[in-house]
Amino acid sequence: MTRYVKIGEAKTHLSALLAQVEAGEDMVLCRGATPIAHVTRFGSPEHASLCETLRRERSKQRAVTTSELLAWRHEGHAR
């Protein structure tokens, strides 16, 4: 569950809020009613799983040549 916290409250209770983040709760810091930052636990299991999935999928891709990169860079440009 995501908790919305105003900056003033976050400044006053930072240690307690960070303990909740370490326990797995996500937080959104807000300036007034405007969300400005998302605070989540670093290295959460979901993050590690997603990174592993991305690495596995990227390893299946073939290497891109320099000529392909240059062609993509100029794609759509009038010559």
Side-chain angles (χ1 to χ4, degrees), residues 1-72:
M1 181 175 163
T2 301
R3 180 174 172 190
Y4 291 81
V5 180
K6 292 187 177 183
I7 293 174
E9 180 184 352
K11 287 168 42 177
T12 304
H13 304 287
L14 184 60
S15 294
L17 293 173
L18 289 177
Q20 293 172 4
V21 169
E22 284 180 316
E25 187 172 346
D26 286 344
M27 299 208 179
V28 174
L29 297 179
C30 301
R31 180 175 286 125
T34 306
I36 59 168
H38 180 225
V39 182
T40 187
R41 183 177 179 181
F42 184 75
S44 65
E46 297 93 21
H47 183 262
S49 173
L50 177 60
C51 287
E52 182 57 35
T53 300
L54 289 172
R55 283 188 191 100
R56 191 171 46 251
E57 292 302 316
R58 287 180 73 186
S59 70
K60 295 177 186 177
Q61 303 297 317
R62 67 175 181 81
V64 178
T65 66
T66 303
S67 60
E68 286 176 315
L69 286 173
L70 291 173
W72 292 339

